[in-house]
Amino acid sequence: MAGKQPLNIVKMKRMKKDGEPISMVTAYDYPSARLAEEAGVDMILVGDSLGNVVLGYDSTIPVTIEDMVYHTRAVARGAEQTFIVADLPFMTYHGSLDETFRSVRRLMQEGHAHAVKMEGGAEIADTVKGIVQAGVPVLGHIGLTPQSVNQIGGYRVQGKDAQDAKRLMDDAKALEAAGAFAIVLELVTEEAASEISKALSIPTIGIGAGRHCDGQVLVYHDVLKYTSSYREKKFVKTYADIGTVIRDGITQYVKEVKERSFPAEQHVFSTSASNKERQPASLYGDGKDKVGLK
Ligand code: KIV
């Protein structure tokens, strides 16, 4: 967004203190990042949800560090003024700290992320601490952690009883103590998320975690119904239906090609004198040679 100061982790903490909600959305490529930035989002997450919504996998588990670096780099090119967090994918932060550092280094140096996100609670606190001590901001992620879906036994709401709510609270506190700058709470009861948000000095970013988190994050393709067969989710509000717009647009294009009504006279280049007078100086209608040239 023109003239906007990019967010940083110090400002984020201040936003929590001031009660100003933090907006975050995922993006996976140049155009989605650019549009999200133009819309004024505070933070972009290059989520490993790209496995589901972009690469066609049925979970995030097959997503590799190569996939994440490739997509993060494209997002960084599209959103130069926005704080970008990239997911460390499945099993890239459970070995030695040196191995973890290699993955973090790739996301930051090759992908140009400003921070990394990791799924897990107290059990990864030492790793989070090591990364933070190396100067890298870490976004925690607890509640439903999709990389562990096979262990959890499905995409289930977390924190439903007192014992589970306490486990989440302990995990959140362990991540805060390890130096995480904020924590994503995914599919957590509103009551548990509210208690955690109150107990922490760092912001909570909810997805399916109710109204009392310090910020909200949603998946780009959910916000915009950017898919061929959208499945309603209780915690998502859709703000547009671009899947239908895209399908209708391409259907019309195919129809016009088949009936030869596209290209029409205004789309063609010609050497004939009468048409030549109407030729633009460049490929683009606005006379500028590069897309996005200002
Ligand atoms: O990968 C992702 O998009 C996420 C969000 C659901 C928080 O982790």
Side-chain angles (χ1 to χ4, degrees), residues 26 28 45-50 60 87 117 119 141 146 184 186 207 217 219:
T26 66
Y28 311 100
L45 172 64
V46 190
D48 60 357
S49 52
L50 76 86
T60 59
D87 259 327
K117 178 164 80 60
E119 297 182 6
H141 182 162
V184 168
E186 179 166 356
I207 174 163
V217 57
V219 168

Side-chain angles (χ1 to χ4, degrees), residues 65-124:
I65 191 71
E66 292 300 332
D67 295 329
M68 290 307 303
V69 169
Y70 178 85
H71 286 271
T72 304
R73 196 162 41 206
V75 166
R77 282 195 292 263
E80 291 178 339
Q81 303 301 320
T82 305
F83 192 85
I84 296 168
V85 183
D87 259 327
L88 277 166
F90 182 70
M91 282 291 154
T92 57
Y93 48 100
H94 298 92
S96 69
L97 203 51
D98 275 356
E99 281 173 73
T100 302
F101 280 169
R102 270 197 284 282
S103 305
V104 173
R105 186 198 65 71
R106 295 203 60 192
L107 291 179
M108 309 273 295
Q109 285 192 322
E110 297 174 43
H112 304 296
H114 301 106
V116 298
K117 178 164 80 60
M118 298 160 67
E119 297 182 6
E123 75 285 3
I124 61 158

Side-chain angles (χ1 to χ4, degrees), residues 134-146:
V136 176
V138 174
L139 176 60
H141 182 162
I142 59 172
L144 188 278
T145 44

Side-chain angles (χ1 to χ4, degrees), residues 16-38:
K16 171 167 178 130
K17 231 172 149 196
D18 295 346
E20 184 188 343
I22 299 167
S23 60
M24 188 179 205
V25 72
T26 66
Y28 311 100
D29 57 17
Y30 178 87
S32 61
R34 198 161 165 143
L35 290 166
E37 179 167 284
E38 286 170 7

